[in-house]
Amino acid sequence: MLSDTYLDNDMAAESLALWQSRADELRANTGNVLIAERNGQPMAFVRVLAPDDTGGAYLDNLHAMPDQKGSGAGTALLAAAAEWAKARGATHMHLRVLDDNAASIGFYESRGWQLTDRIKDIMGGQEVTARIYALRLDA
């Protein structure tokens, strides 16, 4: 979905800066990173931000390690993120998925997430389309 040049040259520096800013958010207590482990080894992780003024908690970077896909870790983390967000007053969670990421789209849709919008964005110097999904927590 992204160019090899971006993935090979630019993504590492951008990712480092991005995760440094996310660490600052965690220190400010505006979000949480949840990590699923088995036998002390990480299986998957997710970042969730505290609810905004609309009651929405932003779910970001749900990722299962390649050998853990299909293990249930992602589903468990979604449930834990929802509980964390609800405890902070969230009425829904929302996230972005690249339009071409069929595996992620299928994962979220099969768990009840609803497509609410599509937006254009720039990633790695390329125009991409992101789908916005939401999941009600108060239903």
Side-chain angles (χ1 to χ4, degrees), residues 26 51 70 80 85 92-93 107 116 125:
L26 294 175
H92 65 282
M93 292 191 303
F107 175 82
T116 61

Side-chain angles (χ1 to χ4, degrees), residues 2 8 13 26 30 32 37 44 50-51 65 73 75 87 91 97 102-103 113-114 127-128:
L2 299 170
D8 293 341
L26 294 175
T30 59
N32 198 6
E37 294 181 351
M65 301 308 187
T75 300
T91 58
V97 177
W113 291 72
Q114 300 293 311
E127 186 174 292
V128 295

Side-chain angles (χ1 to χ4, degrees), residues 32-56:
N32 198 6
V33 172
L34 305 169
I35 301 170
E37 294 181 351
R38 179 176 289 140
N39 299 324
Q41 296 300 310
M43 299 172 62
F45 65 90
V46 67
R47 173 179 165 254
V48 61
L49 293 181
D52 60 22
D53 292 340
T54 69

Side-chain angles (χ1 to χ4, degrees), residues 90-130:
T91 58
H92 65 282
M93 292 191 303
H94 55 98
L95 57 83
R96 292 182 182 196
V97 177
L98 292 180
D99 211 28
D100 293 336
N101 192 341
S104 290
I105 290 166
F107 175 82
Y108 290 113
E109 288 181 351
S110 71
R111 285 152 181 83
W113 291 72
Q114 300 293 311
L115 177 65
T116 61
D117 200 3
R118 282 190 168 88
I119 60 169
K120 299 286 184 188
D121 201 356
I122 301 294
M123 182 179 280
Q126 295 177 238
E127 186 174 292
V128 295
T129 300

